Amino acid sequence: MQYDVEAPARLQERFADSIVRVVAAAEDSMSEPFVEVIPDAWADIAAVLRDDEAFRFDYLNDLCVVDYCANEKKTAKAVGDERLEVVYHLSSVSRKRQLTVKATLSRWADADAQTPPGLPSVAHLWATAEWHECEAYDLSGVEFIGHPNLRRILCPEDWVGHPLRKDYQMPLEYHGIRGR
């Protein structure tokens, strides 16, 4: 599979107001090219990426959440603005192409109440998203709005917090069992 080098430009033409940026990988770079979208527009863009003949990304390989948390002064400069990035890796099996799409969210929808951020679910478009979104919710705290059954799948239902967030504090005890 190769990265679809034409898809980002076609997306930018079609969704000019909803594309934050397009990054093409340099030939000597290990980074992959990607398209960053406005979170509220993600569901509409995802539907086009799956259904439109110009794209036909029929498979969601993976989605993950990257936490850019500057919890120490020395990391603040490298991290920049604190945020969560939800990263989608899509494939077009018939066209043998792949595409990476990112949506950037605030770390908290309401920092004072520590309300988690939300992003539209794409489980209705790609069946694999149903599990991946539950995993991302469980471990990173992103709520996928419109998901048919958003729940914890790796941590117990009564677990407090999201273990892959960089500000997560492991509990010293869980149901009478001492940790650490």
Side-chain angles (χ1 to χ4, degrees):
M1 290 242 183
Q2 297 177 347
Y3 286 104
D4 191 327
V5 294
E6 297 167 2
R10 288 194 308 264
L11 272 178
Q12 206 161 25
E13 279 178 23
R14 189 157 181 179
F15 294 99
D17 295 338
S18 300
I19 303 296
V20 176
R21 65 186 169 139
V22 173
V23 175
E27 287 183 26
D28 61 344
S29 174
M30 294 279 297
S31 66
E32 58 193 34
F34 66 88
V35 176
E36 184 178 346
V37 301
I38 292 174
D40 291 341
W42 169 231
D44 294 334
I45 293 170
V48 168
L49 286 171
R50 187 194 69 169
D51 297 335
D52 191 297
E53 283 297 324
F55 300 104
R56 282 285 176 220
F57 287 100
D58 50 7
Y59 185 66
L60 171 66
N61 299 45
D62 180 37
L63 80 82
C64 62
V65 179
V66 181
D67 184 359
Y68 290 94
C69 175
N71 52 6
E72 297 177 15
K73 271 188 172 182
K74 62 184 178 183
T75 60
K77 186 175 181 181
V79 167
D81 293 336
E82 291 194 332
R83 65 200 180 280
L84 295 176
E85 278 184 359
V86 183
V87 183
Y88 296 84
H89 296 277
L90 305 173
S91 290
S92 172
V93 176
S94 61
R95 295 175 54 241
K96 296 182 175 75
R97 295 285 184 258
Q98 54 191 33
L99 180 68
T100 301
V101 180
K102 296 181 180 184
T104 300
L105 305 169
S106 297
R107 292 191 78 248
W108 299 104
D110 178 355
D112 294 333
Q114 290 198 334
T115 305
L119 187 66
S121 173
V122 291
H124 63 288
L125 298 172
W126 294 290
T128 53
E130 191 166 334
W131 191 87
H132 288 303
E133 289 176 352
C134 284
E135 179 186 40
Y137 162 72
D138 192 1
L139 298 177
S140 298
V142 174
E143 292 193 1
F144 292 90
I145 300 152
H147 188 283
N149 186 21
L150 192 63
R151 60 191 165 83
R152 289 194 178 270
I153 58 174
L154 299 172
C155 295
E157 284 292 328
D158 63 345
W159 194 262
V160 176
H162 304 281
L164 291 184
R165 291 187 71 120
K166 293 198 175 163
D167 56 358
Y168 176 72
Q169 296 292 316
M170 184 69 145
L172 294 175
E173 187 175 294
Y174 176 71
H175 291 286
I177 302 168
R178 297 269 312 151
R180 296 193 228 184

